[in-house]
């Protein structure tokens, strides 16, 4: 693959902002990245919790009991008071669970792996949005420049037409036609200004920086082999990998439900000390117990069998979703490759049209000076040139955006900006 090249089109590169810096700023400043990181940290606790269930459980209790009772007889009356404090330590440990806890550990790792994929998917979508926003700002900026130039030309034509009309050298129709063209150019200019302003705000919202002095991307030429892209996508596409993990998750849930039918063996041990001699003469007592508990599931209202059938159905659904999305992804890739190649072809054709229109415009200007062409024909040629330039900018943006879309679909977009990714270890 050819490396992407970037060309600085400004005088002072110190304040330039290129695509790499835009992506870096997006990853560092966009709140969606910070939220995704926190979700990733949260999911780590699933693994810790799963491992913790295999460790022994230790509990300690401390209690104090005060008692007072009256006792009367024919010859005597007593009111004994006692205070008993008790200390107890209990340890319990599962000795055999049929592999239930080990399955939960495997499941927690899959869920954590899914969170990593969600995290990468979030960053990838933001990177793609940042690139689209970056290219959109450049596109609207150049479109605005072209519309300003066209507006100035049309305004000059209108002023000349007014002068000619006052001198009687132009008809009312020609003047009205020039005024109509001016109104259209004014509308185009206003639209271009608003599009540029909104694209700047959008860029700032995603990237966290103002789009000042953006570098323009050089045209790159890369041929894509559809079969190779589809092959890489099946192994690297984040959404596809998430669906594959969903199948594994359901399979583990099914295995856990089957394991729940197996017996389990638990060990428990406790030590207890009590003293009731704080107020009156009392006694000290020490107890210790060790016990084994074998639990054998016999009948659970048939809920386990129902859950097994439920998970079997969910596995089948997940497999069908995976295959369905895989087919949709291939169609989506085919369309993006098609649009990429169409954008490339449109760029070349629009460049040829621009060149032809520029030549035609220069020729018309010379003919207009000698009086063989009218001002209306000159204005029409200016509009044609503007339209061709705008078409070129749009086709160039589509061409570049589709390139990065392909990279995102095959799961390799983040590789280009790998050095800017936060650590997730």
């Amino acid at each position: 693959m050819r490396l992407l090249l970037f060309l600085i089109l400004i005088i002072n590169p110190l304040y330039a902002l290129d695509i790499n810096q835009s992506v870096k700023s997006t990853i560092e400043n966009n709140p969606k990245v910070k939220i995704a990181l926190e979700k990733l940290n949260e999911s780590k606790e699933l693994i810790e919790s799963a491992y913790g269930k295999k460790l022994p459980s230790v509990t300690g209790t401390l209690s104090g009991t005060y008692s007072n009772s009256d006792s009367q007889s024919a010859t005597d009356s007593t009111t004994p008071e006692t205070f008993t404090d008790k200390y107890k330590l209990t340890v319990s440990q599962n000795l055999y669970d049929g592999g239930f806890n080990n399955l939960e550990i495997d499941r927690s790792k899959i869920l954590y792996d899914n969170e990593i994929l969600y995290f990468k998917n979030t960053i990838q979508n933001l990177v793609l949005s940042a690139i689209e926003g970056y290219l959109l700002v450049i596109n609207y900026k150049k479109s605005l420049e072209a519309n300003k130039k066209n507006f100035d030309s049309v305004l000059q034509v209108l002023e000349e037409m007014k002068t000619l009309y006052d001198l009687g050298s132009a008809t009312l129709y020609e003047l009205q036609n020039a005024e109509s063209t001016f109104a259209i150019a004014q509308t185009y200019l206003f639209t271009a200004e608003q599009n540029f302003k909104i694209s700047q705000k959008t860029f700032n919202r995603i990237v966290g920086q103002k789009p000042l002095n953006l570098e323009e991307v050089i045209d790159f030429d890369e041929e894509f082999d559809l079969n190779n892209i589809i092959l890489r996508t099946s192994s690297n596409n984040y959404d596809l990998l998430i669906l594959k993990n969903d199948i594994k998750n359901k399979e583990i849930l099914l295995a856990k439900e089957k394991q729940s039918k197996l017996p389990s063996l638990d060990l428990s041990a406790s030590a207890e000390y009590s003293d009731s001699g704080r107020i009156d003469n009392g006694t000290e007592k020490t107890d210790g117990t060790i016990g084994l508990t074998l639990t054998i599931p016999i009948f659970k209202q048939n809920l386990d069998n129902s859950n097994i059938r439920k998970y079997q159905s969910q596995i089948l659904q997940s497999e069908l979703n995976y295959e369905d999305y895989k087919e949709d992804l291939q169609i989506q890739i085919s369309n993006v490759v098609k649009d990429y190649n169409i954008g490339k072809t449109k760029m070349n054709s629009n460049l040829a049209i621009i060149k032809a229109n520029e030549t035609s415009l220069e020729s018309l200007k010379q003919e207009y000076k000698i009086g063989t062409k009218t001002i209306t024909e000159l204005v029409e040629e200016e509009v044609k040139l503007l339209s061709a330039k705008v078409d070129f900018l749009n086709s160039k943006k589509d061409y570049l955006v589709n390139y990065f879309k392909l990279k995102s679909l095959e799961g390799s977009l983040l590789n280009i900006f790998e050095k800017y990714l936060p650590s997730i270890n």
Side-chain angles (χ1 to χ4, degrees), residues 65 123-124 135 161 177 243 272 319 331 413:
T65 305
I123 294 183
Q124 180 176 259
L135 297 173
M161 184 59 69
N177 190 38
L243 289 174
E272 182 179 310
E319 289 173 344
I331 296 173
L413 178 61

Side-chain angles (χ1 to χ4, degrees), residues 193-206:
E193 289 172 342
Q194 296 305 308
N195 285 337
F196 182 56
K197 288 179 181 179
I198 293 174
S199 68
Q200 287 179 308
K201 291 180 180 179
T202 303
F203 180 87
N204 187 33
R205 174 70 179 85
I206 297 171

Side-chain angles (χ1 to χ4, degrees), residues 72-315:
Q72 294 182 354
S73 66
T75 59
D76 190 16
S77 176
T78 60
T79 307
E81 293 180 311
T82 60
F83 186 90
T84 304
D85 53 350
K86 184 184 294 184
Y87 309 88
K88 185 176 182 179
L89 182 68
T90 304
V91 179
S92 58
Q93 173 67 57
N94 175 263
L95 300 179
Y96 175 75
D97 63 358
F100 189 89
N101 286 331
N102 287 333
L103 287 172
E104 184 59 27
I105 291 173
D106 293 338
R107 179 172 176 264
S108 67
K109 290 179 179 178
I110 290 175
L111 294 177
Y112 178 67
D113 184 48
N114 254 7
E115 286 300 327
I116 293 177
L117 292 171
Y118 283 126
F119 174 75
K120 290 182 177 180
N121 213 6
T122 297
I123 294 183
Q124 180 176 259
N125 291 335
L126 284 172
V127 167
L128 191 59
S129 296
I131 292 173
E132 289 183 10
Y134 182 96
L135 297 173
L136 200 61
V137 171
I138 292 178
N139 188 57
Y140 281 140
K141 181 182 179 182
K142 291 192 168 294
S143 177
L144 177 59
E145 292 171 353
N147 274 281
K148 282 182 178 179
K149 186 176 180 181
N150 177 71
F151 176 81
D152 292 339
S153 298
V154 173
L155 177 60
Q156 181 181 357
V157 169
L158 178 60
E159 295 298 330
E160 292 179 2
M161 184 59 69
K162 287 180 179 178
T163 303
L164 292 174
Y165 179 75
D166 292 338
L167 295 174
S169 301
T171 65
L172 178 60
Y173 171 76
E174 290 175 325
L175 176 60
Q176 290 175 339
N177 190 38
E179 289 174 339
S180 173
T181 304
F182 174 77
I184 294 173
Q186 197 172 32
T187 302
Y188 285 166
L189 178 60
F190 175 77
T191 303
E193 289 172 342
Q194 296 305 308
N195 285 337
F196 182 56
K197 288 179 181 179
I198 293 174
S199 68
Q200 287 179 308
K201 291 180 180 179
T202 303
F203 180 87
N204 187 33
R205 174 70 179 85
I206 297 171
V207 178
Q209 290 192 41
K210 293 183 178 180
L212 303 176
N213 297 330
L214 300 186
E215 297 177 6
E216 185 176 354
V217 182
I218 291 182
D219 296 337
F220 50 85
D221 188 7
E222 182 172 346
E223 297 294 333
F224 287 103
D225 184 271
L226 185 59
N227 293 328
N228 288 337
I229 293 177
I230 292 175
L231 184 63
R232 290 194 294 269
T233 299
S234 62
S235 303
N236 301 318
N237 181 271
Y238 296 139
D239 291 321
L240 210 55
L241 292 175
I242 289 171
L243 289 174
K244 189 179 293 185
N245 276 347
D246 185 55
I247 297 174
K248 295 179 182 178
N249 179 40
K250 296 295 194 308
E251 289 173 343
I252 291 179
L253 288 173
L254 174 61
K256 283 180 62 179
E257 197 62 42
K258 290 180 178 179
Q259 296 286 15
S260 69
K261 290 185 158 189
L262 299 177
S264 64
L265 182 64
D266 296 279
L267 169 69
S268 63
S270 65
E272 182 179 310
Y273 168 79
S274 63
D275 182 5
S276 60
R278 293 289 183 88
I279 299 176
D280 294 330
N281 292 331
T283 59
E284 295 183 5
K285 185 179 180 182
T286 303
D287 290 326
T289 61
I290 296 178
L292 286 175
T293 303
L294 178 64
T295 303
I296 303 175
I298 297 176
F299 181 70
K300 296 193 297 183
Q301 299 175 322
N302 211 28
L303 294 177
D304 48 356
N305 292 328
S306 175
N307 287 334
I308 287 173
R309 291 191 296 271
K310 178 185 71 175
Y311 288 129
Q312 287 173 338
S313 175
Q314 289 181 0
I315 290 171

